[in-house]
Amino acid sequence: MNPFRHPRPWARVASLVALGFALWLLLVPRIALYYVDDGGAPYDVDVKYAWGRGTSDQVMALPADLFGDEDPAAGSGGKDGFLTSVRLNCGLVFTSGENEADSPGGDEACSQVETPRLIGGIGLGVLAVAGLPLAGRLPQGKGREAWERT
């Protein structure tokens, strides 16, 4: 089926796919993996999705030279030659994890993880919801005659 001859169903499908992706961005829990520098600020923040990975929070103190010179985290050194690594359940975009405030740099790390997904999810959701009624205004017929009748 040619999308230019039948634009209405394709616009609805695109809106539903965008709505599904927006809901995924907003409703899937996230885990932040990061290191903490000497000042308590997180750096090298990575995000994982909590699908069957378990959501336990972990704070590990590792020797700073464990990863060698190739790892950028090893340059920080940490306190007393230790490097602090954190795995933190940030929860959903609208909620916080259980130990977010108690973990070193937890609030800031989860904010770095969740803010782009919150903005993107809400924006994409608004576009998807607006696209559903607008798809009804598109012509359903074939070719140029359908466009001229509307």
Side-chain angles (χ1 to χ4, degrees), residues 10-135:
W10 289 102
R12 286 186 176 152
V13 166
S15 293
L16 289 174
V17 167
L19 184 61
F21 188 64
L23 289 174
W24 180 75
L25 281 173
L26 295 173
L27 298 178
V28 172
R30 286 151 189 88
I31 295 174
L33 306 169
Y34 62 95
Y35 297 101
V36 180
D37 65 5
D38 292 337
Y43 67 94
D44 197 21
V45 179
D46 192 21
V47 64
K48 301 290 182 200
Y49 294 96
W51 308 74
R53 288 190 165 100
T55 56
S56 63
D57 299 330
Q58 300 173 358
V59 178
M60 298 178 284
L62 308 169
D65 59 349
L66 179 67
F67 298 111
D69 295 335
E70 298 173 5
D71 188 39
S76 171
K79 296 177 184 168
D80 300 326
F82 284 100
L83 177 69
T84 304
S85 174
V86 181
R87 175 185 169 190
L88 180 62
N89 177 16
C90 291
L92 305 176
V93 219
F94 301 111
T95 64
S96 62
E98 297 173 3
N99 301 321
E100 194 171 309
D102 299 336
S103 297
D107 290 333
E108 188 178 342
C110 285
S111 176
Q112 287 180 15
V113 166
E114 293 172 346
T115 302
R117 286 167 178 77
L118 176 66
I119 293 169
I122 290 175
L124 191 60
V126 166
L127 288 174
V129 169
L132 288 172
L134 291 177

